[in-house]
Amino acid sequence: MPYKHTIATQLANIVNLDLEAVAKMLETPKDPKMGDLAFPCFQLAKTLRKAPPVIAAEVAEQLAPALKEAGVPVANVQVVGAYINFFLDQQAVAGDVIAAVLTQKEQYGHSSLGGGANVTIDLSSPNIAKPFSMGHLRSTVIGNALANILEKLGYNPVRINHLGDWGTQFGKLIVAYKKWGSEEAVRANPIPELLRLYVKFHDEAKEHPELEDQGREWFKKLEDGDEEAAQLWQWFRDESLKEFNKTYELMGIKFDSLHGEAFYNDKMDRVVKELEEKGLLVEDEGAMVVKLDEYDMPPCLIKKSDGATLYATRDLAAALYRQDSYQFAKALYVVGGEQRLHFKQVFKVLEKMGYDFAKEMHHIPFGMMLKDGKKMSTRKGKVILLDEVLQNAIDDVKKVIAEKNPTLENANKVAEQVGVGAIIFHDLKNFRLNDINFSLEEMLTFEGETGPYVQYTHARANSILRKAGYVENAGVTLPEGALEGPEAWAVVTLLLNFPNIIQRAGEDFDPSALGKYIIDLAQAFNKFYANVRVLAEDEAVKQARLQLVAATATVLKEGLRLLGLEAPAEM
C-alpha cells in the first residue's frame, strides 16, 4: 500500500521532477479537512514559468486520471490556491491497511532496504569498575533501538559494547584496593565497593598528591604486563561484567561483541605504521599527529610526547578491525555529544588514509542525563545507579498493580515489563540531542506521553478483544459505514504510516520519531474507543471494528518492541 510513493511517481512524471524530490515535497496537512496528502506547487514556478495556482490546476487535471489508472484509492483531488490536496477513499484504504497488518502481523513495516548488509553499532560502553549509571542509559537504549529499527529495515546490526576497560583509572583503582580494599568486600558487592575505593582515592589525593604518581606507576606496570596488576585488572573486569549483565538482562539487551579498549592494545601499532608509510604522521611539539587543517580542525593526536597512544589511535584501530571482521555498510557510534570533534577527526583521518568506508561512519550524538539540572559525575560520587532506578520503578509498579488489579497473573513479570519500559521510553520519546532531566515520577505515570500509557493502551486493546471473544481473521470485509468518522480514520491513517515512520527513524537515526508515533497511535485509539461503539449490535460492523482494534494492538506491540519495550497483554 505505498499510496504516497505511487502518487509521488505520477506527480514526478507530470512535472518532470526527480521522484525523491517530489516525495519530499508531499506533505500531510495538519488539518484533516485539507486532505490526507498535499502537494505545494510553489517550487515549480521558476522552472514552469507560471503562477503556482495555475500550475496546481493544470497538474491536478492530468493527475486525476493517472491516479485512477494506477489503482490508487483517491476519492477526490482538490486544488486550493497553490496546493493540490488528495483525499483517500477511506473505505478502501481501511480495508487494505487492516488486511495488511492482520496478515503480516509483526512483519508489517518490514523492509528489504538494507539487503542484509552489516551495520556495526557502538553502544552502551560503560567503564569497568564503575557503576552502570543513568548517564550510560542513553547510549544503551538509543543504540539498541537503532539496532532493532535497522534490523526491521533489512540490515544486520552488530551490537558492540566497547567497554571502558583500560586507562590510568585502573592504576588508581589498584592503588586504592591495595591500600583500603579487601577481596571479601569486593566479592560481596563488586560495583559499589569499587566505586567507594575510586571515590576515596580522589578524596585522599587532594591531601596526598603523591597518590596520583603511584596510580600512574601501577598503570605502567599493567601496560608492561606485570602479573599482579594484570590479575587485579582481569578480576575487576570480570566482577564488573557480572553486575552489568544483570542490568542488561533486565533490559532485554544483548551484544554481539564485548571487545573493549584493552582488546585493541596490540592493534594500534598497525595504525601508527600505516600513517607513517602514507606520510600522514607529523611531529608537533613532541607529539605525533595527523594534520587536518584543510577541514578547519585541530590536529588529530596519535601519540603523546611520551610515546603513549590516545583514544583516536584506539578508535582508528577499532574501525580497521571492524571493517576487516564485518565489512560493514555503515558504522554507528552512539556516544555523547561532547565527543563530536573526536569522531569528526577519526573519520577524516580514515578518509585521508584512503578508506572509502569512512564516508559511511556516523557519530550518533545525544544530550546529557541531568540530575537537578546538573551533569552526573562518577568521580565525585554524585551518580544515580541504573540498577537501583530500575528496581525502584519495578517496586512502584508492583504497588500500583496490588492496588488496581490484585488478581493479575504474572504480576511480578508485568511490573518488570512496565517499570523497565517506563525508563527506556522516557528516554526514547525525546529527540536524542535534547538533555533529559531524571524524574522517576514523570517516567512512571500511566497518563500522558509515557511508556506505561502506551503499554496500558495495548493491554486495553487486548482486553476488548478477549471480552468480545474475537477470533483472529485477516479476511477483511468492511460494511459500509463501519469505520466512518474522524476517530476511526485517524487510527487507520496512523497504521498506514507505520512503515514510513520506521524508515524515517532509521534514515535519520532518530528513535524518537517512532516514540512520538506510538504515543499518537495510542491517543488516537483511545479517542476512537471513547467515541465509537466497538461492540456494535450489527455483527459485521462489530467484527470490522474489532479488526481495527486487533491491528492497532499489533502495531503498538511491534512499535514498543522496536524501542526495546515489552507489551503485556494484561495490566
Side-chain angles (χ1 to χ4, degrees):
M1 305 162 303
Y3 304 132
K4 186 176 178 181
H5 178 80
T6 311
I7 292 170
T9 303
Q10 298 304 322
L11 273 167
N13 290 340
I14 292 168
V15 301
N16 201 22
L17 268 182
D18 176 63
L19 174 58
E20 200 175 322
V22 171
K24 282 182 180 171
M25 289 164 72
L26 265 175
E27 56 191 50
T28 304
K30 285 180 182 169
D31 183 354
K33 291 174 186 169
M34 301 305 291
D36 300 301
L37 286 169
F39 182 72
C41 295
F42 302 104
Q43 288 185 37
L44 305 176
K46 262 190 181 179
T47 49
L48 298 179
R49 298 177 182 278
K50 291 178 184 175
V54 174
I55 297 169
E58 290 178 355
V59 171
E61 195 178 339
Q62 297 177 63
L63 196 57
L67 292 176
K68 192 174 181 181
E69 195 177 325
V72 184
V74 172
N76 194 7
V77 177
Q78 288 183 2
V79 175
V80 180
Y83 284 85
I84 304 171
N85 295 336
F86 303 89
F87 294 81
L88 296 174
D89 181 326
Q90 296 188 6
Q91 179 90 356
V93 171
D96 287 353
V97 171
I98 294 170
V101 177
L102 297 183
T103 305
Q104 297 169 36
K105 298 189 177 70
E106 64 274 2
Q107 285 298 305
Y108 180 63
H110 182 81
S111 156
S112 55
L113 188 73
N118 289 335
V119 177
T120 58
I121 306 178
D122 199 318
L123 70 149
S124 198
S125 310
N127 292 315
I128 291 300
K130 291 184 186 176
F132 200 136
S133 76
M134 284 297 287
H136 291 106
L137 175 75
R138 304 217 64 194
S139 171
T140 307
V141 300
I142 293 168
N144 187 58
L146 286 175
N148 292 339
I149 289 165
L150 289 169
E151 192 168 33
K152 184 87 170 173
L153 292 173
Y155 292 94
N156 177 44
V158 181
R159 297 169 172 85
I160 299 171
N161 198 349
H162 187 78
L163 297 163
D165 61 1
W166 203 247
T168 52
Q169 70 266 32
F170 288 99
K172 295 174 182 181
L173 194 58
I174 290 169
V175 171
Y177 173 73
K178 288 173 72 69
K179 282 186 178 295
W180 309 296
S182 77
E183 182 177 342
E184 190 182 357
V186 172
R187 287 202 187 281
N189 218 355
I191 300 288
E193 178 60 13
L194 291 172
L195 174 63
R196 184 188 73 79
L197 293 171
Y198 186 71
V199 171
K200 185 173 175 65
F201 178 93
H202 284 280
D203 288 342
E204 293 287 335
K206 290 173 191 169
E207 301 294 324
H208 306 283
E210 66 275 9
L211 285 171
E212 296 281 0
D213 295 329
Q214 291 173 32
R216 279 189 286 273
E217 284 167 20
W218 270 101
F219 181 57
K220 183 75 170 67
K221 286 184 181 181
L222 181 59
E223 286 189 304
D224 293 342
D226 176 85
E227 193 177 342
E228 184 186 6
Q231 280 178 351
L232 284 171
W233 172 82
Q234 188 65 52
W235 180 46
F236 295 156
R237 190 182 192 276
D238 292 346
E239 291 296 324
S240 298
L241 271 176
K242 279 182 205 167
E243 293 301 301
F244 292 162
N245 285 337
K246 290 176 191 172
T247 305
Y248 289 133
E249 196 175 329
L250 191 57
M251 296 172 73
I253 292 172
K254 293 177 178 168
F255 295 96
D256 302 294
S257 165
L258 290 171
H259 291 326
E261 293 174 16
F263 178 77
Y264 298 101
N265 284 342
D266 63 353
K267 296 169 181 60
M268 290 187 281
D269 284 348
R270 168 193 169 182
V271 173
V272 176
K273 189 178 176 189
E274 194 174 328
L275 287 169
E276 283 173 343
E277 286 171 355
K278 291 179 174 174
L280 295 171
L281 208 58
V282 296
E283 190 177 329
D284 186 7
E285 297 180 12
M288 301 306 289
V289 305
V290 175
K291 295 274 191 183
L292 297 170
D293 298 353
E294 66 270 42
Y295 304 111
D296 292 324
M297 287 186 216
C300 182
L301 290 163
I302 302 297
K303 260 190 173 184
K304 289 199 278 193
S305 52
D306 63 3
T309 49
L310 290 112
Y311 278 117
T313 329
R314 202 174 296 274
D315 278 342
L316 290 166
L320 297 178
Y321 173 82
R322 291 171 188 178
Q323 180 58 214
D324 289 346
S325 302
Y326 304 112
Q327 293 80 52
F328 58 76
K330 298 176 192 288
L332 311 185
Y333 294 81
V334 187
V335 182
E338 63 272 19
Q339 296 295 323
R340 273 191 182 87
L341 176 61
H342 166 78
F343 284 108
K344 280 182 182 174
Q345 289 178 311
V346 167
F347 301 161
K348 285 301 178 189
V349 170
L350 286 164
E351 269 188 47
K352 289 186 80 161
M353 291 170 81
Y355 292 110
D356 286 343
F357 66 76
K359 292 184 176 69
E360 289 302 331
M361 297 177 76
H362 306 276
H363 174 211
I364 314 298
F366 52 84
M368 291 184 291
M369 179 69 77
L370 307 175
K371 181 188 177 186
D372 303 323
K374 294 176 184 173
K375 187 181 176 183
M376 301 172 188
S377 166
T378 312
R379 183 177 296 188
K380 294 173 184 171
K382 290 178 184 174
V383 69
I384 299 173
L385 304 184
L386 179 57
D387 58 348
E388 287 181 11
V389 170
L390 292 171
Q391 196 53 57
N392 288 341
I394 293 165
D395 291 343
D396 283 358
V397 175
K398 280 181 183 174
K399 288 174 193 167
V400 175
I401 291 173
E403 183 188 327
K404 306 264 182 172
N405 192 0
T407 59
L408 178 67
E409 285 184 32
N410 304 316
N412 288 343
K413 182 63 182 170
V414 172
E416 268 189 20
Q417 293 172 331
V418 176
V420 172
I423 308 297
I424 295 172
F425 193 82
H426 181 73
D427 190 302
L428 296 178
K429 73 175 184 181
N430 291 289
F431 180 52
R432 58 180 164 78
L433 288 174
N434 297 342
D435 292 340
I436 296 178
N437 208 48
F438 171 76
S439 166
L440 193 57
E441 188 182 348
E442 192 182 323
M443 294 174 187
L444 286 172
T445 178
F446 280 72
E447 295 172 4
E449 300 180 352
T450 68
Y453 170 76
V454 177
Q455 288 171 314
Y456 182 71
T457 302
H458 169 265
R460 169 185 265 181
N462 277 279
S463 173
I464 296 165
L465 297 172
R466 276 195 307 274
K467 286 174 183 171
Y470 171 73
V471 178
E472 194 172 287
N473 174 19
V476 179
T477 308
L478 289 184
E480 197 69 42
L483 294 177
E484 263 183 10
E487 293 87 7
W489 184 238
V491 176
V492 169
T493 51
L494 281 163
L495 294 176
L496 173 64
N497 205 27
F498 185 54
N500 297 329
I501 293 292
I502 295 168
Q503 188 167 336
R504 198 178 94 209
E507 287 174 351
D508 296 344
F509 308 125
D510 177 21
S512 74
L514 183 54
K516 292 184 180 83
Y517 166 85
I518 58 175
I519 289 169
D520 289 344
L521 180 57
Q523 289 174 339
F525 173 77
N526 284 321
K527 196 171 178 184
F528 163 74
Y529 180 63
N531 289 280
V532 176
R533 190 179 174 198
V534 173
L535 304 182
E537 287 179 14
D538 183 294
E539 186 60 26
V541 171
K542 181 174 92 170
Q543 286 305 314
R545 290 175 182 171
L546 285 172
Q547 285 177 324
L548 182 61
V549 174
T552 304
T554 299
V555 170
L556 282 175
K557 183 177 181 179
E558 181 62 2
L560 287 167
R561 184 194 72 80
L562 291 172
L563 292 178
L565 285 80
E566 292 189 63
E570 208 174 338
M571 278 170 70

